[in-house]
Amino acid sequence: NAGVTQTPKFQVLKTGQSMTLQCAQDMNHEYMSWYRQDPGMGLRLIHYSVGAGITDQGEVPNGYNVSRSTTEDFPLRLLSAAPSQTSVYFCASSVTGVSYNSPLHFGNGTRLTVT
Amino acid sequence: AQTVTQSQPEMSVQEAETVTLSCTYDTSESDYYLFWYKQPPSRQMILVIRQEAYKQQNATENRFSVNFQKAAKSFSLKISDSQLGDAAMYFCAFQTGANNLFFGTGTRLTVIP
């Protein structure tokens, strides 16, 4: 029972490099999302998806792209990394949206450092 | 705009004692949900307890309970019989609509043996 799996756990990038953070869930959840966690700021929503082929922006989408070609996978792409993107990134999923009966299940996070 | 405020950056409690973490939120919505998440040093976010705004009865999960005051927009978490494993960051989160949780900035709880 893997739940939400994020890879890699840690990553160091140089400014301007690109990379993809992977997220996969095996719970057949329709809703998937990406959050970033910064000290003193809690978690903020980057992008989310309510089903395969459907994505939308959250609070802080600039500098990030997403796609949802399958129900299971929701990768987050950084096209040109910047030091401001140094953060811990969490992928989370739920059955359908976020509600009392459909709370978010989180992955273990990816710590990204951009130098 | 939806905001969540956790005014206590750090709290400590003696093992076996009770501690209350505070959370207030601001919204004009009448239908919403509230959550407390725990983040231990392993970094994983773990759901502790949840509350529906239209239910006046406070939620309880074993040693964890909430004091939900809708008029005051307050949602505090009480941990009874604190254990060493309760040491973690605790985040209060608020949700209205289906697509986003708004998180507070967290309270770091230390449990003293």
Side-chain angles (χ1 to χ4, degrees):
Chain A
N1 188 8
V4 179
T5 303
Q6 288 184 240
T7 55
K9 289 190 171 74
F10 301 94
Q11 183 71 49
V12 178
L13 290 178
K14 293 188 187 303
T15 298
Q17 287 185 317
S18 63
M19 80 157 297
T20 299
L21 306 185
Q22 301 291 345
C23 175
Q25 52 89 11
D26 61 358
M27 298 173 283
N28 202 30
H29 284 174
E30 290 295 325
Y31 178 89
M32 296 186 75
S33 57
W34 278 100
Y35 284 84
R36 61 178 287 174
Q37 181 180 19
D38 301 296
M41 299 190 73
L43 281 76
R44 293 179 293 167
L45 182 67
I46 305 171
H47 284 285
Y48 65 93
S49 168
V50 297
I54 306 169
T55 63
D56 207 344
Q57 297 180 351
E59 296 175 71
V60 288
N62 292 341
Y64 308 95
N65 279 352
V66 293
S67 60
R68 185 97 179 268
S69 57
T70 67
T71 298
E72 295 77 20
D73 301 299
F74 190 46
L76 178 73
R77 297 183 187 85
L78 284 71
L79 299 179
S80 179
S84 61
Q85 294 179 305
T86 294
S87 188
V88 178
Y89 292 85
F90 286 94
C91 180
S93 71
S94 64
V95 177
T96 54
V98 182
S99 70
Y100 180 86
N101 293 317
S102 180
L104 285 178
H105 296 258
F106 284 84
N108 286 342
T110 295
R111 181 177 292 279
L112 175 68
T113 302
V114 183
T115 61
Chain B
Q2 329 289 353
T3 59
V4 180
T5 301
Q6 294 180 250
S7 59
Q8 306 152 315
E10 296 183 354
M11 292 282 287
S12 62
V13 61
Q14 291 284 144
E15 196 175 1
E17 297 295 310
T18 296
V19 65
T20 298
L21 309 183
S22 67
C23 173
T24 59
Y25 57 92
D26 187 23
T27 182
S28 57
E29 303 289 336
S30 58
D31 189 19
Y32 51 87
Y33 307 100
L34 295 156
F35 304 85
W36 277 97
Y37 279 89
K38 170 185 177 182
Q39 186 179 43
S42 67
R43 203 168 66 198
Q44 187 176 12
M45 296 287 285
I46 302 165
L47 178 64
V48 174
I49 199 165
R50 46 188 160 164
Q51 174 84 40
E52 294 173 278
Y54 71 86
K55 286 189 177 177
Q56 295 199 349
Q57 185 173 4
N58 290 324
T60 299
E61 290 284 345
N62 300 315
R63 297 182 295 106
F64 298 88
S65 61
V66 300
N67 183 4
F68 175 48
Q69 303 288 331
K70 190 172 184 178
K73 297 180 181 175
S74 171
F75 183 60
S76 60
L77 174 70
K78 186 171 84 170
I79 306 174
S80 304
D81 185 25
S82 297
Q83 301 175 357
L84 295 178
D86 295 333
M89 282 288 286
Y90 287 82
F91 291 94
C92 177
F94 161 90
Q95 180 264 332
T96 179
N99 296 319
N100 192 9
L101 273 183
F102 295 93
F103 285 85
T105 52
T107 296
R108 182 175 302 281
L109 179 66
T110 301
V111 181
I112 303 165

